[in-house]
């Protein structure tokens, strides 16, 4: 009888732990990708996607925490269950979609080059003039530039960084000639630093989506439903305005 009670107690504990875990999710973020995700001056995760995911988590009845992860390994962290979702300005690509499932797209982005504010460089000069381009490791623009360079006879050098803002810093101090990145962080950088957007460089527009493991169909359905609801609210438009994504 005591063994039966003990076993029932163990099973009850296991189910309690599972229920507790089901009520919490961990969002993996790029900690230096403003305005979508970053660590603010108080040391707290912030940004458009962080606030959107907070709203979505509340809507679906779970607690969410935001865990900074190196971008180049963030999908691996998702697949190995170190995190449960990626809501951090991730482009939906065919290669990534083989590994993860994406939510409904929520933002369209362009890829651009930035250079010093007083730089005379044009896109052609950057791509064809033996210049050094900084790019964040593991991004779609990094892979596109590497693949397209030999096809087009471009002779630039790619230099890899852990974040787009770090590449911007090296543009400013003259270590590289330009940096390639999404237009939203480029606009954020140009509003704060002495850099300007030179222009697009031939890569097609992309869409952002939230990523989950392929087996997490229930979570994806809940996120999609909440995201659709959020995008119809004044809160969504308020976030767009707050993070200056409407400019």
């Amino acid at each position: 009888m005591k063994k039966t009670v003990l076993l029932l107690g163990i099973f009850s504990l296991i189910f309690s732990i599972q229920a507790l875990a089901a009520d919490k999710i961990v969002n993996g973020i790029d900690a230096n990708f403003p305005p979508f995700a970053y660590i603010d001056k108080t040391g707290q995760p912030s940004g458009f996607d962080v606030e959107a995911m907070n709203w979505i988590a509340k809507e679906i009845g779970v607690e969410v925490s935001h865990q900074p992860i190196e971008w180049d390994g963030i999908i691996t962290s998702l697949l190995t269950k170190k995190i449960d979702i990626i809501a951090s300005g991730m482009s939906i690509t065919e290669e990534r979609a083989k590994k993860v499932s994406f939510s409904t797209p929520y933002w369209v982005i362009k890829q651009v080059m930035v250079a010093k504010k007083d730089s005379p460089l044009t896109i052609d000069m950057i791509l064809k003039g033996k210049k050094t381009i900084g790019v964040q490791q593991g991004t779609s623009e990094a892979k596109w530039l590497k693949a397209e360079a030999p096809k087009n006879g471009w002779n630039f050098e790619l230099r890899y960084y852990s974040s787009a803002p770090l590449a911007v810093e090296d543009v400013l101090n003259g270590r590289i000639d330009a940096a390639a990145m999404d237009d939203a962080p480029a606009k954020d950088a140009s509003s704060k630093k002495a850099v300007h957007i030179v222009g697009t460089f031939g890569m097609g527009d992309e869409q952002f989506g939230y990523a989950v493991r392929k087996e997490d169909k229930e979570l994806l359905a809940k996120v999609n439903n909440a995201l659709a609801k959020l995008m119809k609210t004044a809160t969504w438009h308020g976030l767009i305005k707050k993070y200056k994504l409407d400019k």
Side-chain angles (χ1 to χ4, degrees):
M1 183 67 179
K2 288 183 179 178
K3 288 184 178 179
T4 301
V5 172
L6 179 60
L7 286 172
L8 288 172
I10 292 172
F11 287 135
S12 178
L13 178 61
I14 291 172
F15 290 140
S16 296
I17 291 172
Q18 288 176 334
L20 182 63
D23 290 337
K24 295 183 178 181
I25 60 173
V26 180
N27 174 34
I29 63 168
D30 181 341
N32 198 8
F33 190 67
F36 286 95
Y38 58 93
I39 302 300
D40 67 19
K41 294 179 181 178
T42 68
Q44 296 301 309
S46 190
F48 181 89
D49 280 328
V50 169
E51 292 202 46
M53 185 48 57
N54 286 341
W55 192 99
I56 289 169
K58 185 176 181 180
E59 177 69 18
I60 66 179
V62 300
E63 292 181 26
V64 63
S65 58
H66 305 278
Q67 179 64 46
I69 303 284
E70 286 292 331
W71 191 252
D72 197 31
I74 201 165
I75 287 182
T76 298
S77 292
L78 178 65
L79 298 179
T80 55
K81 300 188 177 181
K82 293 178 181 177
I83 56 176
D84 303 297
I85 192 167
I86 302 169
S88 186
M90 175 168 275
S91 298
I92 299 171
T93 67
E94 184 177 348
E95 180 181 354
R96 288 170 177 162
K98 292 176 182 177
K99 301 175 182 178
V100 302
S101 292
F102 282 102
S103 70
T104 304
Y106 66 92
W107 201 257
V108 177
I109 50 124
K110 300 178 183 294
Q111 279 74 27
V112 298
M113 295 280 185
V114 302
K116 282 185 180 180
K117 185 163 281 188
D118 58 355
S119 171
L121 290 174
T122 64
I123 293 297
D124 276 353
M125 291 167 68
I126 294 169
L127 295 176
K128 302 175 183 178
K130 296 184 179 180
K131 303 300 181 183
T132 303
I133 301 171
V135 67
Q136 184 177 9
Q137 181 76 35
T139 58
S140 55
E141 58 267 27
K143 294 178 181 180
W144 188 90
L145 284 166
K146 184 177 180 180
E148 291 297 315
K151 299 178 186 177
N152 293 281
W154 297 334
N155 55 0
F156 55 77
E157 175 191 348
L158 278 182
R159 189 168 297 175
Y160 296 99
Y161 293 83
S162 61
S163 71
L166 287 178
V168 170
E169 289 302 316
D170 268 7
V171 169
L172 289 169
N173 62 37
R175 291 195 180 99
I176 59 177
D177 300 293
M181 63 190 69
D182 298 335
D183 59 350
K187 291 174 184 176
D188 182 79
S190 64
S191 71
K192 301 172 181 176
K193 307 282 186 177
V195 295
H196 77 287
I197 297 174
V198 181
T200 57
F201 51 87
M203 186 176 172
D205 292 355
E206 292 186 327
Q207 295 177 312
F208 280 170
Y210 300 147
V212 300
R213 291 179 289 273
K214 284 189 175 292
E215 63 267 27
D216 289 343
K217 293 180 172 59
E218 183 178 353
L219 175 60
L220 181 62
K222 289 180 177 180
V223 168
N224 272 332
N225 288 336
L227 178 58
K229 185 174 181 179
L230 172 59
M231 291 175 73
K232 295 177 182 178
T233 66
T235 299
W236 180 260
H237 297 290
L239 289 176
I240 290 172
K241 186 175 181 179
K242 177 179 178 179
Y243 291 103
K244 301 178 181 178
L245 290 168
D246 55 345
K247 296 181 179 180

